Amino acid sequence: MTSDITLFVNPTAGRGRGAHAAQPAARVLRDAGFSVRTILGHDADDALRRVREAVAAGTDALVAVGGDGIVSLALQAVAGTGTPLGVIAVGTGNDFARSLGLPVRDPAGAAATVAEVLKGDGGRVIDLGRVERGPGERNQGDSEEGGSGEKAAGAAGGRWFGTVLASGFDSRVNDRGNRMRLPAGRFKYDLAILAELASFRPIPYRLTLDDGTETTVDATLVAVGNGTSYGGGMRICADAVMDDGLFDVIVVGDLPRTELIKVFPRVYKGTHLSHPKVTLHRVRALTVDAPDVTGYADGEPLGPLPLTARCVPGALRVLAPPAP
């Protein structure tokens, strides 16, 4: 049986839920017979360095405790290594866990799932996205280098992501929300949505698909989905499958502001996909370009477009039950 588990904890996730979640999660894992060590890190760079060292030293599993931010850092350490990743989702959004059907804000339940899967079939293998600045792509075997949380954030060295690469209206909401000090939590982003709606104009995109097709379109947003949701359950890529070797690319066309207000709430149920201004592409890779737009992946900023993303099949073993 796998015996050595490393808990990777973000103590500030979910306004302190990360710190509180680590203890019951560790207790459940120890009671199940596993040896548990904990990594915190002084900051993102230090935490990522420590986690990479744990993976290189042969930890049998890495379990991220926090939200999508800590999962994103964990992916930079375990993608392509064969080390399985578990998730104790106690952050604000928790979209990686949602996409996999894992418990959310239930640390004991999530830890029990980790233990059960480790003692059982060892988890499922899923795809990950890899995104790089500019139009160039790397070969699938290229490794993640750097060791810095800031460098791993995406630019020249590339970044792995598990859920959605966002650009357009949604990323501008993120930009605005990140600049706001108050209020705290998701309400801040609700206010950012209202503020962006007041000034938003369609964005001229250029998309280059994996077959060489180049498309120009005025759009509200372009979302590249390996997983189904972002923003705490907004099912922007509702039909995405995490082990099919393909991205679901959702293009929301040039909706008037009044229509956008009507359509946007439908994202929470995924029913926006039937709107005539919404287009779906399924691709292995693409380049997204647009002026004055920041890309985000798993909620983390990547920098300005253009960005090239490719789907890497089987890049991660995750401690989750089989897909339904």
Side-chain angles (χ1 to χ4, degrees):
M1 182 182 75
T2 300
S3 59
D4 175 31
I5 292 178
T6 300
L7 285 187
F8 182 28
V9 182
N10 179 1
T12 64
R15 287 177 282 179
R17 284 192 295 268
H20 293 297
Q23 291 184 356
R27 183 168 56 249
V28 168
L29 292 169
R30 290 190 177 108
D31 288 347
F34 298 99
S35 173
V36 180
R37 60 170 298 203
T38 300
I39 290 176
L40 293 175
H42 300 296
D43 53 30
D45 291 355
D46 180 56
L48 183 55
R49 178 184 60 79
R50 290 171 184 250
V51 170
R52 281 182 167 147
E53 288 174 354
V55 171
T59 188
D60 293 305
L62 180 68
V63 178
V65 183
D68 287 323
I70 201 76
V71 171
S72 180
L73 272 182
L75 292 179
Q76 313 316 311
V78 298
T81 68
T83 301
L85 176 67
V87 180
I88 312 294
V90 291
T92 302
N94 305 311
D95 287 290
F96 187 76
R98 292 176 197 274
S99 291
L100 292 165
L102 291 171
V104 171
R105 296 185 185 171
D106 176 9
T113 297
V114 168
E116 180 181 357
V117 173
L118 279 171
K119 290 181 176 182
D121 61 10
R124 43 184 293 216
V125 175
I126 64 169
D127 310 330
L128 291 177
R130 187 163 173 85
V131 61
E132 292 144 14
R133 293 287 302 277
E137 292 187 38
R138 296 188 178 192
N139 295 326
Q140 181 171 326
D142 287 355
S143 62
E144 173 71 23
E145 301 293 342
S148 162
E150 196 65 34
K151 290 177 182 177
R159 186 177 183 89
W160 297 96
F161 70 96
T163 55
V164 177
L165 190 163
S167 70
F169 176 75
D170 42 11
S171 63
R172 288 182 176 173
V173 168
N174 249 326
D175 286 340
R176 183 180 290 270
N178 289 342
R179 293 193 301 267
M180 296 168 62
R181 291 189 175 183
L182 294 173
R186 286 187 58 185
F187 187 55
K188 173 171 66 175
Y189 291 94
D190 292 337
L191 291 180
I193 288 172
L194 294 175
E196 283 300 318
L197 278 171
S199 60
F200 186 78
R201 298 290 184 275
I203 298 167
Y205 280 91
R206 182 169 66 251
L207 307 178
T208 306
L209 307 184
D210 53 2
D211 63 0
T213 301
E214 188 171 288
T215 300
T216 57
V217 59
D218 288 343
T220 300
L221 63 87
V222 173
V224 181
N226 182 58
T228 56
S229 71
Y230 61 11
M234 300 169 66
R235 295 174 56 79
I236 185 68
C237 301
D239 294 336
V241 177
M242 299 184 83
D243 59 1
D244 64 353
L246 297 170
F247 290 133
D248 276 25
V249 180
I250 302 299
V251 180
V252 179
D254 54 343
L255 295 175
R257 191 176 304 132
T258 53
E259 186 67 11
L260 180 57
I261 292 170
K262 294 177 184 177
V263 171
F264 203 75
R266 294 171 56 182
V267 174
Y268 285 95
K269 293 185 177 180
T271 57
H272 64 291
L273 297 180
S274 63
H275 193 280
K277 285 283 190 175
V278 175
T279 304
L280 166 66
H281 304 275
R282 286 198 168 98
V283 299
R284 295 182 301 274
L286 79 162
T287 297
V288 184
D289 194 8
D292 303 319
V293 175
T294 301
Y296 283 77
D298 293 339
E300 300 296 310
L302 299 170
L305 303 186
L307 294 170
T308 292
R310 58 187 175 85
C311 185
V312 183
L316 177 69
R317 178 170 292 277
V318 66
L319 300 175

